[in-house]
Amino acid sequence: MEDRVRVVIAEDSVLLREGLTRLLTDRGHEVVAGVGDGEALIKTVTELDAEGALPDVVVADVRMPPTHTDEGVRAAVRLRKAHPEIGVLVLSQYVEERYATELLAGSSRGVGYLLKDRVAEVREFVDAVVRVAQGGTALDPEVVAQLLGRSRKQDVLAKLTPREREVLGLMAEGRTNSAIARQLVVSDGAVEKHVSNIFLKLGLSQSDGDHRRVLAVLTYLNS
C-alpha cells in the first residue's frame, strides 16, 4: 500500500489495544508494538530507534498507569521532542484542554488529538492515523470547538468573520479545501478565498508553508 504506515500503540486497556491493532492491520498497516504505559512507550521507541526502525506514528492514550492522569501525553510530548519525525496521535475519553494545548504548542507537524469515541468511526480514525504519520494534523471536532471557543477571547482571532471561523475549525480537523467546500456546500474557490483571508488576518506568510493550516488554528496558544 502506498499509504501503509508503521504504528506503535500505547494503551493500558488490552481490549482496546487489541481492537486498535485489528482495525489498523485489517487495512494493511503494520502495528510494530503495543504497550500499556508511558515508560514502556518511550523504551520501545528508543529500542526501535537503535535498530533503525522507528515507527511512522505513535497512537497513545492520554491517561495511563501508574496514576492514570497524564502519563500518556507526557510520553507523547517527550517523543515529539526526541523524535520530531514521528507522528503522535493521542486519544482521550474527554476533551482535556490543558493536555491538548501542551501537545499542540510545539511543532505543528504530525500531531493529532482525538476522542476515543472517534475510534468507532473506523474510516475516519484510520485516515487520521495515516494523515498524522505523513506529517499532517488530526484534531477532533470537539477539541477544535473548545480551543476555538477560548480563542474567540483573543484579539488575534477577533478579525475573523463567523464563516472564516467555521472554515478554520474544519481546517483544524484536517479537512482539505475540497472537503470543506462539500461540508459547507460552497465552491472550492470560495473556500480558497476564506483560507487566504484567514492567513492574511492572522499574519501567516507564504514562508510558513503548508503548516499555515495548523498555525492558523493554534496561533492563539502563543498569544
Side-chain angles (χ1 to χ4, degrees), residues 9 11-23 119:
I9 298 175
E11 166 60 58
D12 62 295
S13 167
V14 175
L15 184 61
L16 181 54
R17 189 166 70 235
E18 292 301 317
L20 294 175
T21 299
R22 180 67 179 271
L23 287 180
V119 176

Side-chain angles (χ1 to χ4, degrees), residues 6-11 17 20 24 33 35 41 57-62 64 76 79 86-91 114 119 125 128-130 132:
R6 301 175 71 253
V7 189
V8 170
I9 298 175
E11 166 60 58
R17 189 166 70 235
L20 294 175
L24 292 167
V35 298
L41 173 60
V57 61
V58 166
V59 178
D61 190 0
V62 166
M64 287 195 289
L79 283 177
I86 300 177
V88 173
L89 174 63
V90 299
L91 303 177
L114 296 181
V119 176
F125 170 69
V129 171
V130 173
V132 170

Side-chain angles (χ1 to χ4, degrees), residues 68-217:
H68 293 278
T69 54
D70 60 358
E71 283 84 357
V73 75
R74 293 291 180 195
V77 170
R78 284 173 59 187
L79 283 177
R80 282 181 62 73
K81 291 179 180 178
H83 304 286
E85 67 273 33
I86 300 177
V88 173
L89 174 63
V90 299
L91 303 177
S92 180
Q93 193 69 40
Y94 311 101
V95 178
E96 301 179 87
E97 187 176 322
R98 178 167 64 90
Y99 298 148
T101 299
E102 183 172 8
L103 183 70
L104 300 169
S107 169
S108 59
R109 178 176 175 80
V111 64
Y113 189 112
L114 296 181
L115 296 185
K116 286 187 175 180
D117 288 348
R118 200 67 55 188
V119 176
E121 300 174 19
V122 176
R123 178 174 294 180
E124 288 190 20
F125 170 69
V126 176
D127 286 348
V129 171
V130 173
R131 188 160 64 246
V132 170
Q134 295 175 342
T137 305
L139 299 183
D140 195 283
E142 292 297 323
V143 175
V144 173
Q146 285 205 20
L147 296 182
L148 285 179
R150 186 184 70 158
S151 73
R152 290 191 182 101
K153 300 176 182 178
Q154 303 289 340
D155 290 340
V156 70
L157 293 185
K159 302 174 185 177
L160 301 184
T161 66
R163 176 45 66 95
E164 286 166 353
R165 287 196 185 104
E166 189 174 11
V167 171
L168 186 55
L170 293 171
M171 286 166 57
E173 291 174 24
R175 298 177 188 265
T176 64
N177 285 0
S178 295
I180 293 172
R182 290 193 297 272
Q183 176 75 18
L184 300 180
V185 195
V186 298
S187 68
D188 287 2
V191 173
E192 290 173 6
K193 183 176 180 180
H194 287 311
V195 171
S196 295
N197 286 339
I198 290 168
F199 292 158
L200 180 64
K201 291 179 179 180
L202 297 185
L204 298 172
S205 66
Q206 291 283 352
S207 62
D208 292 310
D210 292 339
H211 291 172
R212 289 188 300 173
R213 296 185 72 84
V214 180
L215 292 173
V217 177

